[in-house]
Amino acid sequence: MGSIAVPASAYMVKYKEDFYRLYHVHYQQYPDDCIENIYWLEKAVRADFANPLYADAKITSEKQWEKYRYLFMMQLNLKLIEQHLRLGRTYDKQTAYFYDAPWKDEYLADLKKALSCYQAGLVYWQEAQLWAEKANADSFRFLYISDLHYWEDERERIATGDLDYGKILNREITRVQNVIAKFVAMDSKNY
């Protein structure tokens, strides 16, 4: 028996919401998975929003549409921070032990990758704070998008200081710089 060939329908990915749907977290996330997610999230940041009819929440007014866009941009930047933290951790050597001296150059190369990931996260944190602040404007005081309650919670946590990726990232950057300094100070006498 032969099968009938049915053409598959193509869907063009061009809006923020489309690119955001391509972002996904694996149970076991490898560096390539993080890089793929960063790629999709970066594409989402640069893309246009879909028509409010196709938004990820029910939009019934221009004010809701405005807040939705601010929350969406905040969320994209928060996810970019999380992915950079995950990627940085794959290259991060938490401590420099004396017996690591034979692999000093390899560890230093990896630590520099981790450091650049954490530093990139700081840029996204500034962006996330900016979008959260816009979504926190007085004109939105009594406007809550219930379809996006998780995003609304994160916005509130940023406003109160309960969510502070800047503190986390700066702590990681300082620690990595200290580990790099210990590796740089290693010589054959230490081993």
Side-chain angles (χ1 to χ4, degrees):
M1 272 194 190
S3 64
I4 299 172
V6 178
S9 60
Y11 179 76
M12 183 183 261
V13 177
K14 65 179 187 176
Y15 297 111
K16 286 185 187 302
E17 292 84 354
D18 300 331
F19 286 112
Y20 184 68
R21 286 183 198 110
L22 294 172
Y23 159 81
H24 57 285
V25 177
H26 299 275
Y27 177 70
Q28 181 71 33
Q29 193 148 5
Y30 296 104
D32 286 347
D33 300 322
C34 291
I35 292 167
E36 177 189 358
N37 278 335
I38 289 169
Y39 174 79
W40 293 128
L41 291 168
E42 283 288 345
K43 294 285 263 183
V45 166
R46 290 190 298 276
D48 291 329
F49 282 97
N51 185 294
L53 287 171
Y54 306 108
D56 289 343
K58 184 177 180 182
I59 305 296
T60 57
S61 70
E62 289 182 34
K63 209 65 179 159
Q64 272 186 326
W65 177 237
E66 183 181 0
K67 186 172 184 182
Y68 167 82
R69 293 190 319 257
Y70 296 155
L71 287 173
F72 201 101
M73 291 301 294
M74 176 200 74
Q75 181 67 10
L76 289 175
N77 282 286
L78 290 176
K79 292 301 173 191
L80 279 161
I81 294 166
E82 291 172 11
Q83 290 303 303
H84 277 82
L85 278 168
R86 284 176 185 252
L87 184 60
R89 285 187 191 120
T90 61
Y91 297 110
D92 198 341
K93 173 81 169 129
Q94 298 289 318
T95 308
Y97 296 105
F98 72 94
Y99 51 78
D100 291 330
W103 304 281
K104 171 182 163 178
D105 294 335
E106 290 83 1
Y107 283 132
L108 282 172
D110 282 349
L111 285 165
K112 287 177 184 171
K113 289 178 190 175
L115 185 61
S116 71
C117 288
Y118 299 148
Q119 289 168 336
L122 282 175
V123 175
Y124 296 117
W125 175 240
Q126 291 170 348
E127 282 292 310
Q129 286 179 302
L130 174 78
W131 292 110
E133 185 179 322
K134 287 182 177 190
N136 259 343
D138 287 340
S139 61
F140 300 124
R141 175 121 6 234
F142 298 105
L143 177 62
Y144 186 84
I145 303 175
S146 57
D147 291 347
L148 302 175
H149 62 89
Y150 182 70
W151 295 3
E152 290 276 12
D153 291 347
E154 286 186 328
R155 174 200 48 79
E156 185 63 25
R157 289 179 60 216
I158 291 171
T160 61
D162 289 341
L163 178 60
D164 188 354
Y165 276 119
K167 184 177 177 182
I168 294 166
L169 289 161
N170 282 316
R171 181 186 65 223
E172 294 301 308
I173 288 168
T174 302
R175 185 188 49 73
V176 168
Q177 288 170 335
N178 289 337
V179 174
I180 288 173
K182 287 180 184 175
F183 272 114
V184 168
M186 280 185 187
D187 59 13
S188 58
K189 297 175 195 167
N190 298 28
Y191 179 61

